[in-house]
Amino acid sequence: MYRRHRNLLFSVAYRILGTAADAEDAVQDAWIKWSAADRSQVADPKAYLTRIVSNLALERLRSTRHKRETYVGPWLPEPILTVGDTADSVTDAESVSMAMLVVLETLSPLERAVFVLKEVFGFSHAEIAEAVERSEAAVRQTAHRAREHVQARRPRFAADRSRQREATEKFFAASTGGDINTLMELLSPDVTLWTDGGGKVRQALRPVVGAQTVASWFAAIGTVTYQGVEPADMHAELVEINGGPGLLFSGPDRVIATVTFDFDAEGRITALHNVANPDKLRAITDGTPHDVATR
């Protein structure tokens, strides 16, 4: 029973926490609680397990909050490889995208858990109240506040997934070929690049803004040594990351960085999220794609 719902439990925990390692820990702890439970009293195992993992994820998010607030440079979510089915569901893909996870990071832990359970997984206010141990009235209020907050900040996604894929492929070719003119064409004039090195590797500690600066940054990829890896030893590939097309950069012995994109309605790139902190690349290095569907 637990194994049947394991993907769902990870999907809930990852969206609440934004890190694969913490989500896996929450799922493992849920299994321990499930093993110790009197299952004859459990009418709906799926709801019961989801309730446990939500509560565990919420506790964990509260305990890691300080770490994120004192982080060196921008804090980005931990990227994961996802399976092709995720991209087929625009809702699932959007809710696990780097852009959405970055917005969720601006919510309080309780708001985030309530938003994920209500808006992404469709749980009722009563079910969520039981999961987060609050009154139904308090949950309604929190859900309303969280929804307004997210709607004000969420990027307006381009519905055309094939156009996003095409733009990513062109960006990939242009950055690995040092073609700054094509990069400029693909980027929105006020594009923003967020880089997360966590103080472990050299990255920009503030957002890099503007098409010219961002294009120059990526055009140099094939000409400079990056994290001790010579250009000739650098391998780049297109993969599905967090429900959309992304770039994966590797050296001879390790994954070096991932890059994911936000797009406007015309298919131009409005933001890039570059994760290079080695601690956040373990899920990518593991190479296991995650099924993060919501049903």
Side-chain angles (χ1 to χ4, degrees):
M1 181 60 67
Y2 164 83
R3 284 186 178 78
R4 187 194 308 170
H5 299 305
R6 197 184 187 292
N7 280 344
L8 176 68
L9 300 184
F10 178 84
S11 295
V12 170
Y14 177 69
R15 285 172 173 90
I16 292 174
L17 287 159
T19 71
D22 286 336
E24 291 288 6
D25 286 347
V27 170
Q28 193 59 37
D29 290 347
W31 160 243
I32 292 165
K33 285 190 177 251
W34 169 252
S35 303
D38 176 2
R39 291 180 215 166
S40 64
Q41 302 299 308
V42 178
D44 183 348
K46 180 179 168 184
Y48 179 82
L49 283 162
T50 306
R51 194 161 65 239
I52 291 174
V53 87
S54 303
N55 210 308
L56 289 165
L58 181 53
E59 282 173 28
R60 196 171 279 268
L61 184 59
R62 285 187 177 124
S63 69
T64 59
R65 198 72 173 174
H66 175 68
K67 234 188 280 182
R68 299 186 188 190
E69 285 165 358
T70 56
Y71 195 76
V72 178
W75 191 98
L76 292 178
E78 187 180 335
I80 56 172
L81 298 170
T82 47
V83 292
D85 293 352
T86 308
D88 294 339
S89 165
V90 172
T91 308
D92 287 356
E94 180 181 342
S95 70
V96 81
S97 69
M98 277 283 172
M100 177 58 82
L101 294 177
V102 166
V103 172
L104 293 183
E105 198 58 31
T106 63
L107 298 172
S108 74
L110 180 63
E111 286 171 342
R112 183 169 184 165
V114 169
F115 179 88
V116 167
L117 292 172
K118 183 78 185 79
E119 301 297 322
V120 181
F121 291 92
F123 282 88
S124 69
H125 292 115
E127 288 170 322
I128 298 167
E130 201 175 342
V132 300
E133 297 170 351
R134 292 287 192 286
S135 71
E136 195 174 331
V139 163
R140 275 182 194 280
Q141 202 172 13
T142 303
H144 177 72
R145 196 166 58 238
R147 186 167 56 249
E148 285 197 332
H149 182 98
V150 171
Q151 281 173 349
R153 288 163 178 78
R154 80 195 309 168
R156 281 185 273 285
F157 276 72
D160 189 346
R161 314 276 304 167
S162 61
R163 192 184 281 183
Q164 293 182 22
R165 176 91 193 170
E166 186 186 337
T168 306
E169 286 170 353
K170 282 182 180 169
F171 185 93
F172 174 66
S175 58
T176 50
D179 182 352
I180 198 162
N181 292 330
T182 299
L183 288 171
M184 290 283 289
E185 287 168 17
L186 293 166
L187 298 170
S188 165
D190 56 353
V191 64
T192 305
L193 165 65
W194 303 85
T195 67
D196 179 344
K200 305 286 176 78
V201 295
R202 273 191 67 190
Q203 291 288 89
L205 296 179
R206 289 186 178 81
V208 178
V209 182
Q212 180 72 55
T213 319
V214 173
S216 301
W217 175 291
F218 280 95
I221 280 176
T223 61
V224 295
T225 301
Y226 183 67
Q227 292 186 36
V229 179
E230 296 291 331
D233 296 328
M234 180 80 76
H235 175 68
E237 59 183 311
L238 269 170
V239 294
E240 189 189 304
I241 300 173
N242 288 72
L247 305 183
L248 173 58
F249 294 93
S250 312
D253 57 351
R254 70 188 195 276
V255 171
I256 292 170
T258 61
V259 180
T260 52
F261 307 88
D262 300 350
F263 300 90
D264 64 16
E266 283 75 50
R268 286 184 309 180
I269 296 164
T270 55
L272 303 95
H273 299 104
N274 171 211
V275 179
N277 180 347
D279 295 344
K280 290 189 177 179
L281 295 171
R282 289 172 186 156
I284 296 283
T285 301
D286 176 47
T288 306
H290 291 271
D291 176 358
V292 286
T294 54
R295 295 289 175 267

